[in-house]
Amino acid sequence: MTNRLPHLSTRLLVWLTGLVVALCVTVALPGCKKKPPRPPVTPYAGPTAGDAAAFHLTYDPELKLGDIPRPGLDGRGCGAVTDYRAYAHALSTRAFAACPSDAPFAKRSALGESVLAALGVRQLLCGAFHRPVTYRTLDIHEREDGIAVRVLFRDKWIGNFVAIVRGPRELSTPRPVILALHGHSQAPEGFLGDLRDMNAVRRGYIVAAPAFEAMCTGQAEHDVTQTLLDKGQSILGLRAYQTLVVLRYLHHLHAVDSRRVGLIGHSGGGTLGNVLIRLAPGAFAAYATDNTSEYRGKHKALFTDDMVPALQPLALEINDFATAGLPVLRMPYGFLDVATRQPDMERVGDFFDAHLHPLSNP
């Protein structure tokens, strides 16, 4: 019997050690060191998916909400909590740091410089490719046509926001990407569904869409638009900055060919895209839109994000796509076919194929 005691004691010690470890994991006992979660890795997300340091990006697996008040979302770019006035005030009272240097785009035209000044956030926009940003993979989903990833970004100047990236499961070479800007009262998933109708992933594209807040043509959007305009800024300028941060993230991915980036905007996303191609010349190889604006945006007497008085004198020039400096497909609202009055996403897909060449490896 005595010869068995050391053996039993060893087994008991192993069992107790296992119990303590299990309790540490499940109930977080005091003194336990919580092991950080292992970040998911796909070609589109995770710390090994790209050259993060070169693009001033840092992966943080424990990223949480920031210090700027954030409204709750109901899935349509709207707010379940209408705290946009406080949100806009926090943004408008921040003193943006001086521009470290401009983004790696071509030289802006005189119109592009005028658009930049009119949006009221010059110092913010010109550092869009250089200011430190942290990010985290929220989740990964398998889809019929590939993989979908949600990425959470934390930016010091505008807080937290989400983008969705979809692409093929397997990649042998870097692929072109289509950056999609959704419209009002529409979640990015909804607009990406339209791109699925054109078989974007099956055609060989990676697609990505930032999620915009305060974009529901109601009181919340009016409040944030008015608050920022009162400070000489614009929510349209903040959306442009957010989009450029997502573009920077896409540039850092090994899976993306940054020479072949397409842009598509629907409705309010088209209004944004129309100014973005002026702000970032050379960033996009092709652009499709179904909307223009006079930048006098109102809906039932409430301001929408394209109420930007300083852009109004520039509207005709902005909407003249012959001077855009890249191929532009301008279609009727909803990307409708003129004859059938039905969405014609195949035409959109063919347009991008002609300019981004998804099945080639230049």
Side-chain angles (χ1 to χ4, degrees), residues 119-263:
L119 292 173
V121 287
R122 173 187 289 272
Q123 289 180 308
L124 181 65
L125 279 166
C126 74
F129 258 63
H130 301 277
R131 292 197 178 91
V133 172
T134 54
Y135 71 99
R136 171 193 169 194
T137 307
L138 285 180
D139 48 53
I140 300 171
H141 296 286
E142 288 281 339
R143 299 174 53 83
E144 277 185 39
D145 56 355
I147 300 173
V149 179
R150 283 197 312 149
V151 183
L152 172 65
F153 294 91
R154 166 76 174 120
D155 179 272
K156 176 181 178 181
W157 302 105
I158 64 171
N160 288 34
F161 61 91
V162 172
I164 297 171
V165 183
R166 293 180 183 171
R169 289 180 186 84
E170 298 180 3
L171 295 164
S172 56
T173 59
R175 310 310 307 159
V177 64
I178 297 175
L179 186 55
L181 310 178
H182 69 80
H184 283 83
S185 301
Q186 181 184 41
E189 292 89 345
F191 192 29
L192 289 177
D194 295 338
L195 297 189
R196 185 176 59 191
D197 291 343
M198 78 175 210
N199 295 309
V201 173
R202 288 195 174 97
R203 285 176 184 253
Y205 294 104
I206 297 165
V207 294
F212 299 123
E213 297 178 2
M215 203 167 181
C216 275
T217 64
Q219 190 65 48
E221 185 170 357
H222 172 87
D223 287 348
V224 70
T225 300
Q226 182 67 74
T227 302
L228 289 168
L229 287 176
D230 288 345
K231 298 290 183 178
Q233 299 172 0
S234 66
I235 190 171
L236 200 66
L238 296 182
R239 298 203 202 288
Y241 175 76
Q242 179 180 343
T243 305
L244 291 177
V245 170
V246 175
L247 178 63
R248 190 212 314 186
Y249 175 81
L250 294 170
H251 274 221
H252 108 283
L253 293 175
H254 300 313
V256 168
D257 183 346
S258 59
R259 300 166 299 173
R260 294 184 287 168
V261 179
L263 181 69

